[in-house]
Amino acid sequence: MSHLLENMRKLYSLICYCCLALSLSAQEAPKASDNIVPNPGFERYSATPIGWFYKGSHFTDVMKYWSSATGASPDVFGPKVRVPSHWAAKGFGQQRAHGGKSMAGITAYGCEHGKPHCREYLQIQLSEPLVVGQEYYAEFWVNHLPRSLQINSLGLCFTQEKVDTKIDVPLDFTPQIIAEEIISTPGNSWAKVSGRFTAERPDEYLIIGNFCPDSMTQAYFGVANHLNYAYYYIDDVIVRKEEPIVDVPVSDDDLTRIPLEQGKLIPLKNIFFDHDKAELLPRSYVELRKLLQVMQQNPTLVIEINGHTSSIGDFDYNINLSHRRAKAVVDFLLDNGIRAQRARYKGYGSTRPIASNDREEGRSLNRRVEFLVIHK
């Protein structure tokens, strides 16, 4: 009996040691940083896709957070998308998504063969800007339409400003990640395009597509009855930091460093909403987390969130829109543990401009969110 108890004690000690070792290993192992691409698998929609897209604005209206960088329209494929019969006959929409149930699709070659919309681009605002000097890993998965041409040169390009070209034109940018070899996906398989780069600018936007002209793109004619353009499905986009993580320098005008005084108005930088909507876009949470930190470090602080718009549009509509946007910021604070008594909100519409509404630069400044220190 004593031998049995002794063996049980040894077994128990061994199990505890293994659990402790695993725990320490998990703590010491470097964690992969978060993906900074919102809606990376194209699973979330702003509106129900009920047809095919012919303009970039159609794609932008339907796909949550993503937009078309030009007048040409990428396509969305998912459970509720109806592909027109004449396009379905060419094989469009028969491929299953790499992950989840949805994916996007772009034409990436065929300008010299007269293909309308010969270049289509997917664009998204990252949930945080790139950090200069930080190394990043990026990847996306692709699958070509079986009868379409197979090409190289698909890549990822990062920009500081959003590209909003109204016409259907190729973009002449230099991508940070590019597929050097022709991308072949036999048997409806998916191929990964990936790479690493070091950020040279605090870029905020990511664009996916072919940034090379047809003359500089390699193309492979895989089948006899091929189409005269290259079409690729895109899915599961990732951009994340690699170790070591570079510290982000904090400027003197950072929200966490601004002195708090009763009656003081403090602007919130980089708060983004969808056009004519009150839903916060993912990029907003960098600043909102700073505001939350300020509230947590100052437990007696009481603030009023103020929303403002430009003068474009109906007066009463703008008052309501600014009110709802201010409420969205307060809702974020309440959802993260701030008591309701500490955060009020009010919408002023266009009644308190800080710049002229005669030009877009001024209207952009007037569309803002700020907070008033009620009590410190």
Side-chain angles (χ1 to χ4, degrees):
M1 186 68 176
S2 60
H3 290 294
L4 179 59
L5 291 173
E6 181 64 24
N7 289 336
M8 290 179 66
R9 279 195 294 268
K10 289 180 178 179
L11 179 60
Y12 178 78
S13 299
L14 179 61
I15 292 173
C16 291
Y17 173 81
C18 291
C19 290
L20 177 61
L22 287 172
S23 175
L24 291 173
S25 175
Q27 291 174 14
E28 293 170 358
K31 296 180 180 179
S33 64
D34 294 334
N35 185 10
I36 62 173
V37 179
N39 195 13
F42 305 96
E43 299 296 318
R44 301 182 64 187
Y45 297 81
S46 297
T48 301
I50 57 174
W52 208 241
F53 303 142
Y54 296 97
K55 296 180 180 180
S57 58
H58 295 160
F59 173 82
T60 301
D61 289 342
V62 165
M63 184 49 58
K64 202 169 193 64
Y65 307 141
W66 291 88
S67 65
S68 173
T70 70
S73 178
D75 302 308
V76 175
F77 298 89
K80 297 182 179 180
V81 178
R82 296 200 301 265
V83 178
S85 58
H86 63 286
W87 290 109
K90 294 181 172 65
F92 285 89
Q94 296 179 10
Q95 174 64 32
R96 300 184 65 177
H98 176 259
K101 297 181 179 179
S102 296
M103 58 189 173
I106 57 173
T107 303
Y109 177 91
C111 300
E112 295 177 2
H113 298 285
K115 169 68 167 65
H117 307 306
C118 65
R119 287 290 189 281
E120 295 166 344
Y121 300 92
L122 305 168
Q123 179 175 234
I124 196 164
Q125 186 180 33
L126 301 171
S127 60
E128 63 179 50
L130 300 184
V131 178
V132 176
Q134 174 68 56
E135 184 182 18
Y136 288 85
Y137 170 79
E139 74 175 36
F140 63 104
W141 291 82
V142 300
N143 181 295
H144 80 90
L145 182 72
R147 283 184 57 201
S148 76
L149 305 179
Q150 302 168 43
I151 63 166
N152 67 343
S153 298
L154 282 180
L156 302 177
C157 179
F158 296 86
T159 64
Q160 289 185 278
E161 302 293 334
K162 183 178 182 179
V163 177
D164 191 15
T165 302
K166 301 301 183 183
I167 57 177
D168 175 5
V169 292
L171 297 179
D172 184 17
F173 295 159
T174 301
Q176 282 85 346
I177 304 294
I178 190 170
E180 302 286 352
E181 305 295 329
I182 289 177
I183 306 171
S184 177
T185 58
N188 285 333
S189 61
W190 286 82
K192 180 172 65 175
V193 178
S194 65
R196 288 172 171 79
F197 68 97
T198 300
E200 298 180 353
R201 306 182 306 260
D203 293 326
E204 295 211 20
Y205 291 87
L206 163 67
I207 306 175
I208 302 176
N210 180 8
F211 303 92
C212 297
D214 284 3
S215 60
M216 297 180 64
T217 302
Q218 301 175 34
Y220 173 66
F221 303 80
V223 293
N225 63 336
H226 63 80
L227 303 169
N228 62 354
Y229 52 87
Y231 189 92
Y232 280 84
Y233 301 106
I234 311 291
D235 205 357
D236 293 335
V237 187
I238 292 175
V239 177
R240 65 171 182 250
K241 295 176 180 177
E242 293 280 81
E243 297 285 351
I245 304 300
V246 175
D247 291 333
V248 181
V250 179
S251 61
D252 291 336
D253 64 347
D254 188 85
L255 182 60
T256 59
R257 291 190 173 184
I258 296 178
L260 300 172
E261 301 171 6
Q262 188 168 325
K264 186 174 185 178
L265 271 175
I266 301 175
L268 294 174
K269 302 176 183 178
N270 299 314
I271 302 297
F272 297 93
F273 300 91
D274 271 330
H275 178 66
D276 273 351
K277 296 181 180 179
E279 181 183 357
L280 289 159
L281 297 182
R283 174 65 177 85
S284 305
Y285 292 106
V286 173
E287 186 79 348
L288 290 179
R289 284 193 291 268
K290 293 179 181 179
L291 177 60
L292 179 63
Q293 178 183 339
V294 170
M295 296 292 287
Q296 292 170 336
Q297 292 176 345
N298 298 272
T300 62
L301 178 64
V302 178
I303 65 173
E304 178 183 88
I305 301 295
N306 296 337
H308 303 271
T309 69
S310 70
S311 62
I312 300 298
D314 179 76
F315 178 86
D316 290 335
Y317 178 85
N318 285 337
I319 290 288
N320 179 265
L321 177 62
S322 63
H323 178 85
R324 290 187 290 117
R325 287 180 169 179
K327 181 180 183 298
V329 174
V330 170
D331 286 343
F332 168 82
L333 295 175
L334 301 186
D335 290 342
N336 285 276
I338 301 301
R339 290 182 292 109
Q341 298 90 328
R342 300 183 57 203
R344 314 168 189 172
Y345 58 90
K346 188 171 183 179
Y348 289 94
S350 59
T351 62
R352 296 188 176 184
I354 58 174
S356 171
N357 280 297
D358 293 337
R359 303 183 64 181
E360 178 54 34
E361 292 85 354
R363 292 192 290 270
S364 178
L365 292 173
N366 290 331
R367 301 182 193 108
R368 68 194 189 279
V369 178
E370 56 197 8
F371 70 91
L372 173 68
V373 178
I374 302 294
H375 175 72
K376 187 180 182 304

